[in-house]
Amino acid sequence: MDRVSSFDEPLKKLLGGATAKVMAEHLDLHTVGDLLHHYPRRYEERGKLTALADLPLDEHVTVVAQVADARILMFNNGRGKRLEVTLTDGSGRLQLVFFGHGVHKPHKELLPGRQAMFAGKVSVFNRKMQLAHPTYQLLDASGADEATEAVDAFAGRLLPIYPACKQLDSWRIAKAVDAVLPSAQDAVDPLPASLREGRGFTPLPEALLKVHRPQTKADIEDAKARLKWDEAFVLQVALARRRYADTQLPAVARRPVEGGLLDAFDAKLPFTLTEGQEKVSKEIFDDLATEHPMHRLLQGEVGSGKTMVALRAMLTAVDAGGQAAMLAPTEVLAQQHHRSITEMMGELAEGGLLGGSEQGTKVVLLTGSMGAAARRQALLDLVTGEAGIVIGTHALIEDKVQFHDLGLVVVDEQHRFGVEQRDALRSKGKQPPHLLVMTATPIPRTVAMTVFGDLETSVLDQLPAGRSPIASHVVPAKDKPHFLARAWERVREEVENGHQAYVVCPRIGDEAEEDGKGAKKAKAKKAAPDEDPEKRPPLAVLEVADELRKGALAGLSVEVLHGRMHPDEKDDVMRRFAAGDVDVLVATTVIEVGVNVPNATAMVIMDADRFGVSQLHQLRGRVGRGSAPGLCLLVSEAHEASPARARLSAVAATLDGFELSRIDLEQRREGDVLGQAQSGVRSSLRMLTVIDDEEVIAAAREEAVAIVAADPELEHLPELRTVLAALLDKEREEYLDKG
């Protein structure tokens, strides 16, 4: 069998259809190679007991523990049977429950003193952690002579515990790995021999054997060091090649012009730029002045003045005879940017109009929902060059849109756009335009190196003068209902003091229009008081707004904003809210980015545990934008000891986005952060944890840059080319799936 094809062998050929189907559907494992790269999450030593004290709620876990006690209880007047087993280890206790016919076998086998491996989902019942109907495998066969050999073979071994799912336990995955392990010999080694030997790495086939079936702890360390390097290195080579290809492209240098638009704009600014804004602007201007395209990521805290920096870059491009396009992820945000940029520019945004400035240029908006006439005029202004600046949504990428001379593309909230969408907009220029990507989601350095590795990075970490502090508190609605009542009183107080408030909900509500039956179900299911909040549907904008109008906020002007509204309706609500005619805006996360209403001082986030850390941080950044202090209340029914509540406490404890992005990454690991940011990357990281492996990533980046500089086409490294092709195919395929 040739070296690649055994890794491409479908699992169903080796494991049988049922197991292969579960692996494909629940673990995204399809081939022998996928399974060999499905590494153990951790290892149990024979006899070593897992800390029961550290079990995570709501996760599938595997524990090794000893039976302390087992008893059968009757309920339902003796008609029902329940077996309760208490497990123990040095750190804590855990209850197992089995019901009905499922009690007989465990009752015979799970005797006090016996040790076993148990797998199940951790839940809480009567304030105690429990596993209901776990699967288990006995680890001792006391009294059964014929099993002593098996026990001896088992003793002293390191047991791999695999990331598992409800349908497939860790030890079943281990058996499947045994079946495919011989194929590890066919692994294509991506590391150049000189690098592998220079750094003393274990050969790849050996690393795969050691990670799945280690004899010693040193085996595990060896294997991990090698496999992490492979992932970091292959990814960094892909990024280095993308950067190298970009440096080979020609671009028109766009240099500032004395006495042009930028000078006129700077002269009328009512404040001075922060030191950070000056420094980042210089980096951008230096890039714009070169003859290959700028690729820069500008990350800055919510409200750190990124838009100001981007606008000055756009004005420079216009001064130099080009046009600038700003791409926003939503219509609300595109309209907001258009409004704030035309306000900042004043008469400079009225080029060619009466009362406009001599140096001015037209600033146009282009979104999918514009009327035909306005759209025609905008397209005409772009193609003639009349409009120097255009702000729009995905509508800018469409084929019909043509520019006179596109010089700079600014992408706002990069994590909403794939690489391909950036490329589509870049192809609009006669030559590739310069590219500035902005994000208000702070990104730890390692993630920036990994996910946005094809971009140079600038960071704005100072807030402009005049921004107010935001106080954040968790409101435990289930344990302390009076706290929620107090939250609504605080909203009233803010409104009475002349301010406004946001209320954010995870869902729109009234799904009847969308799916016919869904709403009735959702409405009927209005969570019983003692029901697990996870089981009920998330709170919805329409229902919450309705309840607030009738109850806690009666008499105030309460309006809704969500993605199913007609764009004109959305814009109207936002305008009235910005003008101060609406007291309270009940919205979905459409307000997450870019909405700027300085008079809004309070935000109540309902079911806050349903949002990610960086999303909560983004939302919170909508208040405290003026001179009055901001208030953010995170309402949750999550259990006090749950990871969800720990997340909310972390958000309430700090306003530092970089600190939060680190916490977010540690809690979720990289899944979401990488998954949203760049198609394909996530699927290739199995061993590398972006948060912990900064040295590996930095060193791999250095090696990758050197290798690509010496051999851009990798002509002398066929194995590396093969592995890279597989990674990039996967990335392209995932992009197409999403598209």
Side-chain angles (χ1 to χ4, degrees), residues 573-594:
V573 170
M574 265 325 294
R575 268 179 211 279
R576 287 188 294 116
F577 187 64
D581 302 339
V582 173
D583 298 325
V584 179
L585 187 63
V586 184
T588 54
T589 54
V590 289
I591 61 153
E592 178 186 349
V593 281

Side-chain angles (χ1 to χ4, degrees), residues 96-110:
L96 310 179
V97 292
F98 299 88
F99 294 100
H101 300 303
V103 305
H104 307 303
K105 186 167 176 262
H107 188 221
K108 279 194 287 211
E109 294 181 336
L110 298 179

Side-chain angles (χ1 to χ4, degrees), residues 130-298:
Q130 71 165 28
L131 299 182
H133 279 284
T135 41
Y136 62 90
Q137 182 174 317
L138 296 172
L139 296 186
D140 50 16
S142 34
D145 293 342
E146 68 278 9
T148 35
E149 277 178 49
V151 175
D152 288 343
F154 183 85
R157 246 185 58 199
L158 288 157
L159 295 179
I161 307 290
Y162 287 92
C165 61
K166 190 173 166 187
Q167 297 76 2
L168 205 59
D169 305 322
S170 169
W171 47 87
R172 293 209 188 107
I173 296 172
K175 278 184 183 154
V177 170
D178 283 336
V180 301
L181 214 44
S183 299
Q185 294 309 320
D186 302 324
V188 175
D189 195 330
L191 295 192
S194 57
L195 193 160
R196 192 171 62 236
E197 287 149 21
R199 290 186 175 265
F201 285 131
T202 304
L204 184 55
E206 197 183 312
L208 288 168
L209 286 174
K210 282 181 171 178
V211 79
H212 289 292
R213 297 295 171 261
Q215 300 299 309
T216 62
K217 287 186 177 172
D219 282 356
I220 300 171
E221 290 316 306
D222 263 9
K224 281 187 168 177
R226 168 66 218 253
L227 296 166
K228 279 181 178 183
W229 244 92
D230 281 19
E231 288 178 7
F233 177 71
V234 171
L235 191 53
Q236 291 302 334
V237 168
L239 293 166
R241 290 186 73 193
R242 201 180 272 163
R243 285 196 304 274
Y244 177 82
D246 286 338
T247 63
Q248 302 309 298
L249 295 171
V252 178
R254 310 281 177 179
R255 297 184 181 87
V257 173
E258 228 172 287
L261 247 179
L262 179 63
D263 285 355
F265 175 74
D266 283 350
K268 63 192 269 313
L269 273 184
F271 51 82
T272 53
L273 297 176
T274 65
E275 209 177 301
Q277 286 174 318
E278 291 278 14
K279 178 176 140 291
V280 170
S281 290
K282 183 180 182 321
E283 291 171 350
I284 291 171
F285 292 156
D286 288 350
D287 281 358
L288 287 173
T290 60
E291 298 198 342
H292 61 81
M294 161 169 84
H295 285 111
R296 190 165 282 281
L297 171 69
L298 169 57

